[in-house]
């Protein structure tokens, strides 16, 4: 099973996990988050992130999901990456996380691609609903 780590600003990661748990009806195993605040020193948080990756890696690898590319959380996440072992995506959203969780028994590369597709396909313009109230 692929471990999943969400690295994000503040409580965003925990909120994503809470929402995903609601959708799935349970809190998934080997899913953790690391919230980074303006008061955190990235150098001090890096060892915490590395320890989370070690915990989450049950032998199949870890997918790291960050919120905004180039921001402090994604910079911390980028330092965790090990090709084929720890892969990462920036721009995490709920459809991406749900897709990753649903396919996490597949190889890491496949989970990475499913998560990317889920994130992109989850962004769509909604159609205007017509009302018969007139």
């Amino acid at each position: 099973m692929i471990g999943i780590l969400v690295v994000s600003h503040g409580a965003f990661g925990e909120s994503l996990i809470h929402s995903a748990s609601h959708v799935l009806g349970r809190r998934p195993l080997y899913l953790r988050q690391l919230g980074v605040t303006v008061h955190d020193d990235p150098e001090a948080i890096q060892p915490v992130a590395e320890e989370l990756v070690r915990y989450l890696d049950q032998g199949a690898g870890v997918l790291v999901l960050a919120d905004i590319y180039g921001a402090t959380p994604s910079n911390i996440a980028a330092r965790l990456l090990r090709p084929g072992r720890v892969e990462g995506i920036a721009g995490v959203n709920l459809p991406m996380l749900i897709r990753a969780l649903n396919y996490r028994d597949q190889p890491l590369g496949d989970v990475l691609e499913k998560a990317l597709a889920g994130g992109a396909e989850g962004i769509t313009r909604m159609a205007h609903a017509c009302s018969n109230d007139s």
Side-chain angles (χ1 to χ4, degrees):
M1 174 187 303
I2 303 299
I4 300 174
L5 175 62
V6 179
V7 184
S8 65
H9 289 88
F12 180 62
E14 185 56 41
S15 294
L16 273 177
I17 292 172
H18 181 77
S19 296
S21 299
H22 173 78
V23 169
L24 298 172
R26 61 177 168 69
R27 187 170 179 114
L29 298 173
Y30 301 106
L31 169 62
R32 295 288 186 272
Q33 66 88 32
L34 177 63
V36 181
T37 71
V38 296
H39 305 292
D40 292 323
D41 174 7
E43 293 301 318
I45 285 203
Q46 196 68 42
V48 175
E50 292 167 3
E51 182 58 35
L52 283 166
V53 167
R54 279 190 291 278
Y55 166 77
L56 291 169
D57 191 352
Q58 298 298 298
V62 176
L63 180 61
V64 180
L65 304 174
D67 54 6
I68 301 172
Y69 182 74
T72 301
S74 75
N75 292 338
I76 291 168
R79 292 174 61 189
L80 300 170
L81 304 181
R82 305 289 178 266
R85 190 91 217 133
V86 180
E87 298 287 352
I89 302 172
V92 65
N93 59 29
L94 186 57
M96 178 186 292
L97 179 57
I98 296 291
R99 185 76 62 95
L101 289 166
N102 281 327
Y103 289 94
R104 67 198 297 206
D105 288 327
Q106 294 185 12
L108 181 57
D110 293 348
V111 176
L112 175 73
E113 293 304 318
K114 293 287 189 182
L116 284 167
E121 292 166 7
I123 299 171
T124 186
R125 182 175 181 179
M126 296 190 316
H128 177 71
C130 295
S131 173
N132 292 347
D133 293 340
S134 48

